[in-house]
Amino acid sequence: LQIKFDVEHGWYWSPKDSDEKKMNDLQYATIAILGELGEFSNVVKKILREYNHANTKPTQDMIEKLKEELTDVFIYLVKLATLLDFDMEKWYLQKMTLNKERFKRFEVKK
């Protein structure tokens, strides 16, 4: 879905592009994902400020804004996976297998 959208808008980052273009796209995507994460963090900061000073829980608008910004982060993750030509789901599952063993000692006892 993301590739189709990017192709339609001239934003497709192909693993077959020249090395120079791939480096520029990698740099852009890194800056962009950090920018989106910064926007997410800024909303968290505002939520914490309200909670710590006025004991006010986040509004539905604030929660919706968090969802929006986190979705933007996800979009850039998908674009980076495309650029790097890898199956993120496969890598995620492999990493979770490793993490299950790595963090076994922290499991909550039932």
Side-chain angles (χ1 to χ4, degrees), residues 53-93:
H53 294 286
N55 202 28
T56 306
K57 292 185 179 180
T59 64
Q60 192 57 41
D61 285 345
M62 291 175 135
I63 298 300
E64 292 302 313
K65 187 65 176 165
L66 283 175
K67 292 175 183 178
E68 178 185 342
E69 297 306 340
L70 199 53
T71 301
D72 290 340
V73 171
F74 179 75
I75 288 168
Y76 281 107
L77 280 175
V78 171
K79 289 172 72 70
L80 279 163
T82 300
L83 176 64
L84 298 172
D85 196 23
F86 82 101
D87 181 341
M88 189 181 296
E89 181 182 18
K90 175 184 163 191
W91 279 76
Y92 171 80
L93 293 173

Side-chain angles (χ1 to χ4, degrees), residues 12-19 21-22 25 82-85:
Y12 178 56
W13 299 341
S14 172
K16 296 177 183 174
D17 286 337
S18 70
D19 287 345
K21 183 169 183 325
K22 284 194 285 191
D25 292 342
T82 300
L83 176 64
L84 298 172
D85 196 23

Side-chain angles (χ1 to χ4, degrees), residues 13 18-31 83:
W13 299 341
S18 70
D19 287 345
E20 182 179 358
K21 183 169 183 325
K22 284 194 285 191
M23 290 297 109
N24 286 331
D25 292 342
L26 181 61
Q27 180 182 27
Y28 181 88
T30 301
I31 293 166
L83 176 64

